[in-house]
């Protein structure tokens, strides 16, 4: 790969820039340069009408005749925009010799700098460049940005610039300032500007500043990360991940999801996985408190949904007891993700009238109401059930569920490595062992599990008999 261009925004106010060429292309360049406040000298034997008018007004300087290196005197920047490749090359060579930055229109090879495509909203500018590799692509992207960036962004930027000193005074801490701005932008102010209500926007800004306590108290957002595919995150989760100063995450929160978080957020893994290194819940509580009390925005990121076997409730109780503000963002829980990605419609008509989310965690399993769980016309979704599979089978059958009730295990649901093992309640433990199913996996018991045979769409088809494991 060739080295990328280094982007710059240059202050041209009062600085001389030489444009060689007197046609329409040169005129467009001169127009942009004048807008940026440059003192433009145009060198060309003749000028097209607009350029000529500007020269007559004294708005630009005209150097007549054929290119002479003396035109470069006093210039900071040079643009060659003639229709003669030979002249453009001569200009480029002369500029290089004087270490002046030169751009040759439509010739990336001899240009020392490129002029990017740009989108402008007041003081806010977005510049797009492909480094000459794919100008059409850069242009298409520019057009897209032009459509997507709200026209009032410029006013917003101007408003913030006007109040910069006040903002700094109210929030000396950059993190607090950033939080305030995030909240401001998520509020009514942008809409007021979009409606053209400038006074309203000013008032909204004043009110927001007045409301903001010099707040040093942190905040914890308990966020569901879903089953791992970033596409299954909620927009709110994504926004908070972009705001986080600190992220305390489970092992189940995938690398792909974490990659979407604010780059400079501190990431701390507090994963708890059966049998492996274990961060005690008390330690997680202590970490949340420590970071919140330091005034940080903490995202406590949990696999699936924070309130489904995620101990989210305990964490909120702890935060409440310690006076830390919090919020909760739901996530797609494993049962829903696994069902969707395995093709198991949880409440398929005629098969099931209810779904139960059940923990098969060893201590909990002893106290489950097996008689109710064994009743028909319902779908059971067991979390943390791989190790408990033989016992689940034994108890359900002992309490009257038919041994040939369909059952499915979904391992790594919604991940590219997803596997589905499908069989009867009776045979599933043997089948799962034969296929070496490991954690995380979700167990479905109920007639709907059989539908995965026909409705599966993601990854490999369900595994049904141990002999076919390698097929
Ligand atoms: N709060 C999480 C559940 C945490 S308990 C949620 O709402 O999904 C952990 C259990 O969730 C695992 O033992 C497993 O049974 C299940 N699980 C989580 N992610 C899974 C996945 N991608 N595929 C299958 N099961 C998963």
């Amino acid at each position: 790969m060739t080295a990328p261009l280094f982007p710059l925004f240059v202050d041209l106010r009062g600085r001389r820039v030489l444009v060689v060429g007197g046609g329409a292309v040169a005129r467009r360049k001169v127009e942009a340069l004048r807008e940026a406040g440059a003192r433009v000298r145009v060198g060309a034997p003749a000028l097209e009408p607009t350029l000529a008018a500007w020269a007559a007004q004294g708005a630009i300087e005209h150097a007549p005749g054929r290119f002479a290196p003396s035109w470069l005197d006093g210039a900071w920047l040079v643009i060659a925009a003639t229709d003669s490749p030979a002249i453009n090359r001569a200009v480029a060579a002369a500029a290089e010799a004087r270490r002046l930055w030169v751009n040759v229109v439509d010739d990336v090879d001899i240009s020392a700098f490129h002029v990017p495509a740009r989108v402008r909203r007041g003081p806010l500018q977005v510049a797009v460049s492909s480094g000459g590799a794919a100008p059409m692509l850069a242009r298409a992207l520019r057009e897209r940005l032009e459509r997507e960036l709200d026209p009032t962004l410029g006013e917003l930027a101007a408003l913030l610039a006007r109040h910069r000193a006040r903002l700094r005074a109210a929030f000396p801490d950059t993190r607090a300032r950033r939080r305030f701005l995030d909240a401001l932008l998520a509020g009514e102010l942008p809409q007021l500007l979009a409606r053209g209500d400038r006074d309203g926007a000013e008032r909204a800004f004043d009110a927001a500043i007045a409301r903001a306590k010099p707040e040093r108290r942190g905040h914890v957002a308990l966020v569901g990360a879903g089953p791992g595919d970033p596409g299954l995150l909620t927009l709110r989760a994504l926004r908070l991940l972009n705001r986080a100063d600190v992220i305390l995450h489970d092992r189940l929160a995938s690398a792909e999801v974490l990659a979407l978080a604010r780059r400079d957020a501190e990431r701390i893994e507090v994963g708890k996985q059966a049998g492996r290194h274990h961060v005690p819940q008390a330690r997680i509580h202590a970490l949340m408190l420590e970071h919140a009390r330091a005034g940080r925005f903490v995202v406590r990121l949990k696999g699936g949904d924070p309130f489904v076997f995620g101990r989210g409730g305990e964490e909120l109780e702890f935060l409440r007891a310690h006076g830390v503000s919090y919020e909760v963002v739901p996530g797609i829980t494993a049962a829903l993700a696994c069902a969707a990605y395995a093709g198991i419609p949880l409440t398929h008509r005629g098969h099931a009238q209810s779904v139960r989310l059940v923990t098969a965690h060893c201590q909990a399993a002893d106290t489950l109401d097996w008689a109710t769980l064994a009743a028909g016309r319902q779908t059971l979704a067991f979390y943390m059930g791989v190790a408990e599979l033989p016992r689940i089978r034994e108890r359900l059958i002992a309490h009257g569920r038919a041994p040939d009730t369909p059952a499915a295990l979904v391992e790594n649901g919604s991940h590219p490595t997803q596997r589905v093992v499908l069989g009867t309640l009776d045979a599933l433990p043997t089948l799962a062992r034969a296929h070496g199913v490991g954690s995380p996996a979700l167990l479905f018991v109920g007639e709907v599990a059989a539908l995965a045979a026909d409705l599966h769409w993601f990854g490999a088809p369900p595994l049904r008999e141990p002999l076919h494991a390698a097929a």
Side-chain angles (χ1 to χ4, degrees):
M1 215 191 92
T2 55
L5 295 175
F6 184 81
L8 279 178
F9 283 92
V10 180
D11 183 357
L12 288 180
R13 286 172 305 174
R15 300 188 204 268
R16 172 163 295 149
V17 177
L18 172 68
V19 176
V20 182
V25 178
R27 186 196 64 230
R28 282 198 294 277
K29 298 292 168 189
V30 172
E31 205 165 2
L33 289 166
R34 287 188 62 204
E35 192 186 274
R39 282 166 54 205
V40 183
R41 171 185 290 157
V42 179
L47 301 182
E48 59 84 63
T50 308
L51 285 175
W54 287 339
Q57 291 158 17
I60 60 174
E61 179 196 338
H62 180 203
R66 290 169 49 88
F67 171 64
S70 63
W71 288 359
L72 296 165
D73 293 348
W76 289 75
L77 217 58
V78 182
I79 295 181
T82 77
D83 51 13
S84 153
I87 295 177
N88 286 346
R89 271 198 304 276
V91 174
E96 284 281 344
R98 296 192 187 197
R99 301 188 177 199
L100 287 173
W101 291 100
V102 62
N103 170 261
V104 178
V105 172
D106 287 336
D107 195 337
V108 288
D109 293 335
I110 53 171
S111 288
F113 74 92
H114 296 194
V115 182
R118 67 172 179 157
V119 181
R120 187 172 160 209
R121 298 288 181 271
L124 210 60
Q125 301 199 65
V126 182
V128 181
S129 160
S130 67
M136 299 300 277
L137 187 62
R139 174 180 300 195
L141 186 59
R142 191 202 78 84
E143 278 166 11
R144 198 158 105 199
L145 289 168
E146 190 68 73
R147 281 194 305 273
E148 284 177 12
L149 296 184
D150 196 276
T152 54
L153 266 177
E155 293 218 20
L156 183 61
L159 183 143
L160 292 177
R162 272 201 302 283
H163 295 295
R164 194 149 169 243
R166 263 176 88 199
L167 264 174
R168 283 176 177 264
F171 306 98
D173 177 56
T174 46
R175 277 180 169 156
R177 200 152 67 232
R178 181 178 198 152
R179 265 202 303 275
F180 171 77
L181 284 178
D182 283 344
L184 192 72
L185 298 185
E188 57 169 355
L189 192 136
Q191 280 114 27
L192 288 168
L193 282 178
R195 269 187 256 130
D197 183 359
R198 284 193 205 177
D199 294 342
E202 286 286 335
R203 279 197 302 276
F205 183 84
D206 290 344
I209 288 257
R211 258 198 319 273
K213 302 167 222 106
E215 190 171 26
R216 286 292 305 161
R217 275 175 52 227
H219 180 78
V220 177
L222 197 60
V223 176
D229 176 350
L232 296 176
L233 270 181
T234 62
L235 287 175
R236 175 123 193 103
L238 186 62
R239 261 180 224 134
L240 295 186
L241 282 171
N242 272 301
R243 244 171 98 178
D245 298 315
V246 181
I247 301 170
L248 301 176
H249 65 91
D250 287 353
R251 198 178 288 263
L252 283 173
S254 70
E256 291 90 331
V257 166
L258 285 167
L260 296 174
R262 213 180 106 195
R263 269 178 189 228
D264 49 352
E266 187 182 344
R267 293 154 164 81
I268 305 175
E269 184 182 323
V270 292
K272 288 181 294 174
Q273 225 185 28
R276 296 214 210 150
H277 172 67
H278 189 107
V279 178
Q281 191 65 33
R283 176 76 190 128
I284 298 177
H285 288 175
L287 279 169
M288 288 195 301
L289 192 61
E290 177 194 322
H291 288 289
R293 288 227 164 124
R296 306 201 176 107
F297 192 97
V298 181
V299 166
R300 170 73 180 104
L301 189 67
K302 288 166 172 291
D305 180 88
F307 281 176
V308 179
F309 307 126
R311 303 190 73 169
E314 284 163 63
E315 292 175 9
L316 291 199
E317 281 167 357
F318 175 85
L319 294 171
R320 159 112 329 157
H322 289 80
V324 177
S325 72
Y326 58 75
E327 70 190 284
V328 184
V329 180
I332 295 186
T333 190
L336 299 186
C338 291
Y341 279 70
I344 299 176
L346 291 170
T347 59
H348 199 61
R349 263 167 79 105
H351 284 332
Q353 292 161 321
S354 68
V355 188
R356 308 188 62 171
L357 308 187
V358 189
T359 171
H361 194 263
C362 29
Q363 290 132 28
D366 282 335
T367 56
L368 289 173
D369 179 358
W370 290 102
T372 329
L373 292 175
R377 305 190 65 75
Q378 62 176 335
T379 304
L380 306 178
F382 284 97
Y383 288 69
M384 298 174 278
V386 191
E388 295 300 311
L389 201 52
R391 181 153 58 153
I392 294 170
R393 165 189 171 276
E394 181 261 314
R395 295 287 157 94
L396 286 176
I397 294 176
H399 284 83
R401 191 91 201 214
D404 64 352
T405 306
L409 255 179
V410 183
E411 181 194 50
N412 288 320
S414 84
H415 291 246
T417 53
Q418 167 176 306
R419 292 197 300 168
V420 178
V421 178
L422 182 59
T424 61
L425 176 58
D426 196 24
L428 202 66
T430 317
L431 215 53
R433 207 171 331 110
H435 288 294
V437 174
S439 187
L442 203 107
L443 168 67
F444 292 107
V445 178
E447 278 66 29
V448 296
L451 295 168
D454 286 334
L455 299 183
H456 76 84
W457 57 274
F458 180 76
L463 300 159
R464 310 195 61 169
E465 284 169 45
L467 290 179
H468 296 159

